[in-house]
Amino acid sequence: PNNPMAFQRFIEQRKPDHDNPGSVGYAGGHTEGATSSNWRSAVSSVVGVALADGGGWKPLAEALGLEGEVAEQSSRSNFRESTSFPASFAWALLQLPATVTATWTARRLLVWIVGARSGMEDYLVREGAWSLLEQVFPGSCWELVLVGPEMQEGPVEPASSQEQALLARGVRLKGHEWVEQSSNPPDFVVCFNSGLGTLSHSLTGAWLPTVAALLRLDVPILFTCFSTQEKKGEEFIIRQLFKAHTLVDFLENPYRTQPCDRPGCYSKAEYTSETNDADSRLCNSWLWWVRGSDLSQSQLEEVALEAAPKALREITQRFALQGAHKTWLEALSKGSRTVGGAALESLDVACQSEAVTKVLARVGKSVAQAVTLYVQRHGAHPLARPIVERLLLEKVRA
């Protein structure tokens, strides 16, 4: 959460026994007492066996017959960029308890990818990357619903799919809006690299209603994240605040991307880090499954609307006292309109604390300069003037 590049990068984007919740535990990453997933029994192909073994990219490329095509570094990078998302999902399915996947072959499986974007998840479907599911699970049929405010409405045509084994469409809605409108609950939900774990006030806050709505569905939800640091943030939000039931605890993903990769719509600036957090740049670095919650619907809504926003405000104010304001000022001076706008939101929240306002007033001139640069580059923002005035007033009082 204190990683400054995580703040900038993510803002730019974007069943255990439920009658006895106390039985949920952890054993080797799985729910206590759960048998290994019977999805493995359906993995009969060479590709499926290679992926299930979790040996990483080289064995998977060999199984796909691409070892010659990915001999060069750039080709290996392209392969990982296009394959990480479907490979991560397929490998994650194989980690689920058998009780969750017992009837998986009975029909076309419906998967919601929430937080999807036209330049990322949509792009990968159109490029044919998700045909990997057909190769890992021969005979399976899938429908992907790509849900997100940055998606385009309508069908998404995969570059290659045998006999409509893979269907896909885009929905231009936020996750919780789609939950309210959809009449068909999904078999699985996937939230790739959501940024929840950054604990950024603007980014994490925007996800809270969606997390509550998805947990109410009581279906398996896969979360992936970029780093160990964000993993801790996700654990705090999803498990501690929303009291989600863990199906499979955090696992390090053998099909994560590498530092030199740049999947989909990530720009070079977004996917380059100057920090010492070596795994901060890796898409799908960690993954875990949850399903349902100990909380009732009204309690989930209370967390989303009150408890979690309050916790994020306190975290933002604590970060400010620990020096996070330096990152926000850099974002205002050099970041995009979206990144700088998020920094203004964080400053606004931080200044709701009298103690933080007194501290930031000491650097009020630097704040004013950074805000001025932002306005000059991107135009007026409703929070810009009030923040500067608040700090200058406090400086005068001091």
Side-chain angles (χ1 to χ4, degrees):
N2 280 319
N3 186 334
M5 290 305 297
F7 170 81
Q8 180 165 341
R9 179 181 61 249
F10 276 111
I11 294 304
E12 184 67 69
Q13 299 293 357
R14 161 72 117 116
K15 180 164 180 183
D17 183 358
H18 281 252
D19 295 326
N20 182 22
S23 68
V24 177
Y26 313 107
H30 294 281
T31 303
E32 185 175 352
T35 58
S36 61
S37 172
N38 72 338
W39 285 62
R40 290 182 179 272
S41 65
V43 177
S44 56
S45 67
V46 173
V47 174
V49 171
L51 182 133
D53 286 343
W57 289 113
K58 188 174 185 295
L60 182 59
E62 291 173 352
L64 288 165
L66 299 175
E67 63 273 25
E69 297 180 29
V70 297
E72 299 296 326
Q73 173 61 37
S74 60
S75 299
R76 290 197 297 272
S77 183
N78 291 338
F79 172 60
R80 291 190 298 264
E81 290 168 1
S82 64
T83 312
S84 176
F85 286 72
S88 297
F89 174 63
W91 186 76
L93 287 174
L94 296 171
Q95 313 311 310
L96 282 168
T99 53
V100 176
T101 61
T103 60
W104 79 275
T105 57
R107 54 185 165 73
R108 183 180 296 276
L109 292 168
L110 178 60
V111 182
W112 291 359
I113 301 179
V114 177
R117 291 160 294 168
S118 292
M120 177 66 80
E121 288 79 5
D122 178 291
Y123 168 79
L124 293 175
V125 171
R126 294 183 188 278
E127 289 293 299
W130 281 86
S131 64
L132 180 71
L133 293 179
E134 305 164 47
Q135 297 172 284
V136 175
F137 307 109
S140 63
C141 293
W142 305 83
E143 180 179 356
L144 306 181
V145 180
L146 311 180
V147 183
E150 298 179 40
M151 281 298 303
Q152 297 298 318
E153 288 277 352
V156 180
E157 297 294 338
S160 61
S161 180
Q162 298 179 359
E163 299 179 355
Q164 292 192 317
L166 178 69
L167 303 177
R169 62 191 175 106
V171 174
R172 193 180 180 86
L173 291 172
K174 295 179 180 179
H176 56 282
E177 296 171 338
W178 177 239
V179 170
E180 297 301 324
Q181 294 189 24
S182 176
S183 58
N184 297 319
D187 295 289
F188 305 100
V189 176
V190 185
C191 301
F192 287 119
N193 308 297
S194 66
L196 266 166
T198 63
L199 302 184
S200 158
H201 184 270
S202 58
L203 180 58
T204 304
W207 270 92
L208 297 177
T210 290
V211 173
L214 293 177
L215 290 174
R216 290 202 309 269
L217 292 175
D218 196 30
V219 301
I221 308 169
L222 174 67
F223 289 95
T224 77
C225 63
F226 267 78
S227 69
T228 303
Q229 205 164 29
E230 288 170 37
K231 165 188 147 186
K232 295 175 183 177
E234 284 194 0
E235 196 277 339
F236 171 68
I237 294 292
I238 299 168
R239 188 147 62 195
Q240 294 187 34
L241 293 185
F242 281 102
K243 306 297 182 185
H245 298 151
T246 304
L247 284 175
V248 178
D249 212 345
F250 285 99
L251 296 171
E252 195 165 7
N253 179 16
Y255 302 104
R256 60 191 177 276
T257 60
Q258 296 300 305
C260 58
D261 302 338
R262 186 168 60 85
C265 64
Y266 285 113
S267 69
K268 183 176 181 180
E270 291 167 337
Y271 214 61
T272 302
S273 173
E274 296 175 357
T275 71
N276 292 323
D277 186 3
D279 65 350
S280 66
R281 306 182 300 277
L282 309 185
C283 272
N284 309 314
S285 183
W286 292 88
L287 55 80
W288 65 314
W289 288 97
V290 303
R291 178 175 185 169
S293 168
D294 288 336
L295 304 180
S296 65
Q297 177 173 337
S298 62
Q299 289 173 323
L300 286 169
E301 291 175 352
E302 190 277 333
V303 171
L305 297 175
E306 298 181 25
K310 180 176 182 291
L312 288 176
R313 285 195 298 272
E314 293 172 350
I315 289 169
T316 300
Q317 290 163 1
R318 187 167 68 248
F319 284 175
L321 292 174
Q322 294 172 349
H325 66 278
K326 298 175 183 177
T327 299
W328 302 336
L329 298 189
E330 182 179 359
L332 286 168
S333 301
K334 302 178 181 179
S336 67
R337 181 181 182 87
T338 304
V339 170
L344 282 172
E345 290 184 42
S346 295
L347 279 169
D348 180 63
V349 170
C351 289
Q352 292 173 21
S353 162
E354 183 177 347
V356 176
T357 301
K358 289 181 178 179
V359 171
L360 292 182
R362 300 170 191 167
V363 292
K365 183 177 179 181
S366 297
V367 174
Q369 290 173 339
V371 171
T372 300
L373 280 173
Y374 173 84
V375 172
Q376 289 174 344
R377 292 188 301 120
H378 302 297
H381 190 287
L383 293 176
R385 187 183 184 95
I387 289 171
V388 173
E389 289 180 342
R390 192 179 312 165
L391 294 179
L392 292 178
L393 180 60
E394 179 58 37
K395 191 172 183 64
V396 170
R397 287 174 179 171

